[in-house]
Amino acid sequence: MEGKKEITVGVITELTKEAIKSIYSACKEYFIDASKMDDIDFGNAYEKYIKISSEKIRMIKTLIYRKEPRDLTDMYECVNLKYHENEISSNKVNNILNIGHRLIVTGTAGIGKTTMLKYLFLKILQEESFIPVFVELRGINNEQTKDINALDMIYGSLSSCGFELERKYFEYSMETGKYVILFDGFDEVKTEKSFVLGKSMRELCTKYPDNYYIMSSRPLEQFVGWNDFKELQSLELDKVQALELISKLDYNQVTKEKFMYELNHGLFEKYRSFASNPLLLTIMLMTFDEKASIPDKLNDFYEQAFSTLFNVHDGSKDCFKRDIRTGLGANDFKSVFSYFCFKTYFNNQYEFSESDVRKYLGYAQERFDNISFGVDDFLNDLVKSVCMLVKDGLMYIFSHRSFQEYFAASYTTKLEDGIQNKLIANWLSEKQGVADDPYFNMLFNMQPEKFNKVILCPGIKKIQELYDRCGTMELYKQLFECVMITTRVTEGGNQYRFYLMIKDNYLCAVLKMSCVFNNFKYSHYGAESEEFVDYATNSRKLSDNKALEFFLIEDAEMTREFLKHFSWVEEQINFSIEILEKYGKDSTKNKRKVSSIIDSL
């Protein structure tokens, strides 16, 4: 490669030059008349492509740098990958290529899969003698299924960045094994097209087996059938990586140092689910910058995070920039989003197709006829401006599930007392275990007195009526199904644990929340009756699943021992009745199902 084929010094590395020379030399073998090869400007074709593509990939916009793109390499923190039981650093391309020629990198939303592939693209140019090609797979969604071809997509990605080599010479070059093809976002391909694309990609890998193929996606079941591909999992940031990421950001130095100190002294552990995700960690930094601290209460944190993102700070200027396409103010936007969260939470929906999002926003338009907004604009703001939703493949999910729970609780506080009572009483009755949802803790923190009065007291009143009318043992039979017994064999003999299996979802949830939210303290939790243990564990009438039915506890002595063993329940009951005496008044009776209440709201 001489003369005009010489690669300009400084444009690409010596390793990349070697890759181009290898392709040039190998492709000569395909020509009967080798002299015609001199008319093909391999050097310029690849040089132009590398210059354009590397610049396009290197400069990115982020949540902080949304106005002006920044250099990815200045701020990217390499996440680790997990293959089988081994953690692998993505800092060196060779660490990944050594695993195999066909790889799938999977991870959750916000973890940075696309950014990782872009980083690998740039590292390949520095560290390896290969030509990287970055292919955005979602572009296939606009094509006819019959036209889907993986090789066409690769050549199209090259051509869009100035690659001028004819198609037939490019196909010759694929035989050389000098490419690393980076397929981004397989999960963003529509389902009906993804199977055709997957087949085409696997055929491509078989035809050109010496190249490397790395694809990013969220985990999908169809990968089980991709026998020739090895799957690597993107890991969350650990504390060291989180600190390193913050240190790299071009942000106010004083704010960064204070935030890093807090992150290193307990903040990371307290907010781990946020701080271990690059996107959410950035939100934490911006929130910290706004208030100079991260609130102790989660409720306050979510409110501040929303406020910060709605009035997002442009780090290059000493002012706040509003970038809200709907044109709504913060309060109106929050009202609509809170309603969206409320409806989706009580409909058990946590991820959405685009049509799902539009449906719920349409409900909001009908609900708030005094707030004017376009559905397209609001969806754009949710994803790009306020970052409450992120696109995960073809679906939308909350950037963090707790945002849905917080804003659903926020909307609930606006409901009339009777509606709150009916809605939540029936929700607790219909769904076992929801009392542990953070939604209830958030709702209690927003309206503690009303929560006790409107939500808990009607249920406590029912418990008290049963308690006064039937006595303790009969109340237990109303609340619980049976006693479950588990056994663990130890050197010292068998160890037994006893669980009361819930029968009445609503009353048990009320009892639990009354105690948890009002700081009940057990006086002797776990008090044990040896007589009851012996009776329960030696009973020949136990069912196969080790359940002791209440009707087997017949005589007065064993009833006393049972009540002694589970005396902590009676303590809870008495504590709850104190809550009723403090807050209780007659509340609206519960008649309707959750579904009918939600449909009417």
Side-chain angles (χ1 to χ4, degrees):
M1 299 174 65
E2 299 175 354
K4 66 178 181 178
K5 299 178 183 64
E6 183 176 350
I7 305 301
T8 305
V9 177
V11 175
I12 54 178
T13 65
E14 292 298 323
L15 289 170
T16 309
K17 292 178 189 178
E18 289 179 16
I20 298 172
K21 289 176 182 178
S22 296
I23 293 171
Y24 176 80
S25 299
C27 285
K28 275 187 175 182
E29 300 175 7
Y30 294 101
F31 287 82
I32 297 174
D33 184 359
S35 62
K36 289 187 177 180
M37 195 66 177
D38 294 333
D39 296 328
I40 303 170
D41 196 343
F42 267 69
N44 186 61
Y46 282 96
E47 177 187 350
K48 186 176 181 181
Y49 159 72
I50 290 168
K51 285 173 65 177
I52 294 173
S53 61
S54 61
E55 182 67 16
K56 179 181 177 181
I57 283 173
R58 179 183 297 274
M59 304 305 292
I60 64 171
K61 291 182 179 180
T62 69
L63 188 57
I64 292 178
Y65 314 125
R66 63 176 65 197
K67 299 294 182 183
E68 182 181 349
R70 301 295 181 95
D71 193 319
L72 179 156
T73 59
D74 290 340
M75 58 181 153
Y76 179 68
E77 175 61 25
C78 294
V79 299
N80 291 337
L81 300 170
K82 187 175 182 180
Y83 179 60
H84 295 319
E85 297 303 316
N86 300 317
E87 278 197 29
I88 300 153
S89 171
S90 62
N91 191 41
K92 293 287 185 182
V93 177
N94 205 39
N95 293 343
I96 299 173
L97 299 185
N98 282 340
I99 297 173
H101 282 256
R102 306 174 190 186
L103 307 174
I104 302 173
V105 176
T106 61
T108 56
I111 202 69
K113 299 183 293 294
T114 296
T115 309
M116 176 193 289
L117 289 196
K118 290 184 175 183
Y119 180 78
L120 291 178
F121 180 103
L122 299 172
K123 293 288 282 186
I124 288 165
L125 293 176
Q126 296 176 355
E127 299 177 359
E128 303 292 336
S129 181
F130 291 102
I131 304 297
V133 185
F134 187 87
V135 182
E136 292 183 330
L137 294 177
R138 65 176 177 270
I140 206 74
N141 287 328
N142 298 322
E143 296 190 15
Q144 296 294 320
T145 302
K146 63 181 178 61
D147 296 328
I148 292 176
N149 182 288
L151 190 61
D152 287 347
M153 295 190 73
I154 296 170
Y155 186 67
S157 296
L158 287 161
S159 300
S160 67
C161 291
F163 187 71
E164 296 176 348
L165 205 61
E166 287 184 44
R167 170 66 179 257
K168 62 181 178 181
Y169 301 132
F170 161 66
E171 291 189 26
Y172 293 148
S173 73
M174 285 288 287
E175 300 274 3
T176 66
K178 300 304 292 183
Y179 291 95
V180 178
I181 311 299
L182 303 164
F183 290 116
D184 181 51
F186 185 84
D187 55 317
E188 296 184 43
V189 178
K190 293 178 179 177
T191 303
E192 66 273 15
K193 300 179 187 294
S194 67
F195 289 98
V196 178
L197 176 60
K199 183 175 183 291
S200 179
M201 290 171 64
R202 295 194 296 277
E203 291 172 349
L204 174 79
C205 295
T206 300
K207 185 175 182 179
Y208 304 109
D210 295 330
N211 298 302
Y212 288 87
Y213 305 90
I214 305 175
M215 183 178 75
S216 71
S217 175
R218 65 173 173 170
L220 297 174
E221 288 186 8
Q222 66 172 279
F223 294 150
V224 174
W226 293 38
N227 298 321
D228 294 335
F229 280 74
K230 298 176 180 178
E231 188 169 336
L232 291 74
Q233 177 187 355
S234 292
L235 298 178
E236 295 178 331
L237 300 173
D238 58 27
K239 184 195 284 189
V240 173
Q241 292 171 320
L243 289 166
E244 187 64 24
L245 172 58
I246 295 300
S247 72
K248 292 177 179 179
L249 296 178
D250 181 14
Y251 209 79
N252 180 279
Q253 189 63 30
V254 174
T255 300
K256 276 174 42 175
E257 289 178 359
K258 289 181 179 178
F259 181 67
M260 290 173 65
Y261 177 84
E262 296 294 337
L263 203 63
N264 196 34
H265 291 81
L267 198 63
F268 182 87
E269 287 75 16
K270 180 176 181 179
Y271 291 96
R272 180 181 293 273
S273 62
F274 276 82
S276 60
N277 181 294
L279 169 66
L280 299 174
L281 179 62
T282 304
I283 292 175
M284 285 183 68
L285 172 63
M286 297 168 70
T287 302
F288 185 86
D289 186 24
E290 176 90 2
K291 301 295 183 181
S293 65
I294 298 293
D296 288 332
K297 291 186 177 180
L298 282 172
N299 285 32
D300 295 334
F301 171 72
Y302 298 127
E303 192 66 35
Q304 288 188 18
F306 174 81
S307 175
T308 299
L309 291 168
F310 192 85
N311 300 286
V312 66
H313 187 261
D314 180 356
S316 63
K317 301 179 179 68
D318 294 326
C319 61
F320 284 88
K321 292 283 186 179
R322 285 194 55 206
D323 188 23
I324 305 298
R325 273 178 47 173
T326 56
L328 296 178
N331 289 335
D332 284 347
F333 193 97
K334 179 184 172 185
S335 293
V336 174
F337 180 60
S338 296
Y339 180 74
F340 175 90
C341 293
F342 172 78
K343 293 282 281 192
T344 56
Y345 172 78
F346 279 99
N347 281 328
N348 286 310
Q349 197 163 356
Y350 314 117
E351 67 172 21
F352 320 91
S353 66
E354 185 168 324
S355 63
D356 289 333
V357 179
R358 292 178 177 278
K359 175 183 71 175
Y360 283 113
L361 291 178
Y363 293 158
Q365 285 179 318
E366 296 172 4
R367 184 70 175 176
F368 300 102
D369 54 10
N370 61 325
I371 301 177
S372 178
F373 64 91
V375 168
D376 287 341
D377 290 338
F378 203 96
L379 176 56
N380 179 83
D381 288 341
L382 281 178
V383 176
K384 296 182 179 180
S385 299
V386 190
C387 299
M388 290 290 104
L389 294 184
V390 295
K391 197 168 186 184
D392 190 18
L394 294 177
M395 304 298 285
Y396 292 88
I397 63 174
F398 291 95
S399 57
H400 196 276
R401 172 74 186 281
S402 56
F403 280 125
Q404 182 193 34
E405 293 162 332
Y406 171 76
F407 286 103
S410 177
Y411 186 83
T412 305
T413 64
K414 297 178 173 60
L415 300 178
E416 295 178 359
D417 292 359
I419 293 295
Q420 279 200 42
N421 172 264
K422 289 178 181 179
L423 171 68
I424 294 176
N426 284 288
W427 180 245
L428 292 171
S429 297
E430 293 176 19
K431 291 186 66 65
Q432 186 172 344
V434 293
D436 293 320
D437 280 9
Y439 162 86
F440 287 100
N441 187 38
M442 294 174 182
L443 183 59
F444 179 83
N445 288 331
M446 291 178 191
Q447 50 167 46
E449 185 170 339
K450 180 182 281 191
F451 193 98
N452 279 320
K453 179 179 178 180
V454 173
I455 295 171
L456 297 180
C457 282
I460 300 173
K461 185 176 181 180
K462 289 185 177 182
I463 293 173
Q464 184 185 36
E465 290 171 351
L466 287 168
Y467 189 48
D468 293 341
R469 185 174 69 248
C470 305
T472 308
M473 192 64 189
E474 288 303 313
L475 174 59
Y476 277 50
K477 293 178 182 180
Q478 293 289 328
L479 296 176
F480 307 109
E481 196 75 51
C482 61
V483 181
M484 290 294 296
I485 305 169
T486 62
T487 308
R488 187 165 70 94
V489 179
T490 67
E491 292 181 359
N494 292 339
Q495 289 186 351
Y496 302 100
R497 296 195 67 180
F498 298 84
Y499 303 89
L500 292 168
M501 300 303 294
I502 292 173
K503 180 178 181 180
D504 191 311
N505 291 339
Y506 169 59
L507 294 183
C508 285
V510 165
L511 190 61
K512 180 176 183 178
M513 290 194 295
S514 298
C515 296
V516 170
F517 296 154
N518 290 283
N519 301 313
F520 170 71
K521 292 181 173 57
Y522 298 96
S523 61
H524 56 277
Y525 180 78
E528 197 171 271
S529 164
E530 293 183 6
E531 289 83 355
F532 176 74
V533 172
D534 289 340
Y535 173 80
T537 55
N538 294 320
S539 175
R540 295 181 181 179
K541 297 180 181 179
L542 285 177
S543 64
D544 291 338
N545 59 357
K546 301 299 182 185
L548 178 64
E549 304 291 346
F550 282 117
F551 70 82
L552 296 175
I553 306 172
E554 297 170 333
D555 61 77
E557 181 182 354
M558 195 47 56
T559 298
R560 283 195 303 271
E561 294 303 325
F562 168 84
L563 294 176
K564 175 182 174 183
H565 194 84
F566 291 103
S567 59
W568 53 271
V569 178
E570 190 166 9
E571 290 184 27
Q572 288 188 4
I573 293 169
N574 289 326
F575 179 82
S576 298
I577 291 173
E578 292 177 10
I579 299 297
L580 177 63
E581 292 171 353
K582 182 176 181 180
Y583 297 101
K585 288 183 179 180
D586 288 339
S587 298
T588 306
K589 294 181 180 179
N590 306 302
K591 293 181 179 179
R592 294 192 290 172
K593 289 184 173 295
V594 168
S595 58
S596 64
I597 298 171
I598 288 296
D599 288 342
S600 69
L601 296 176

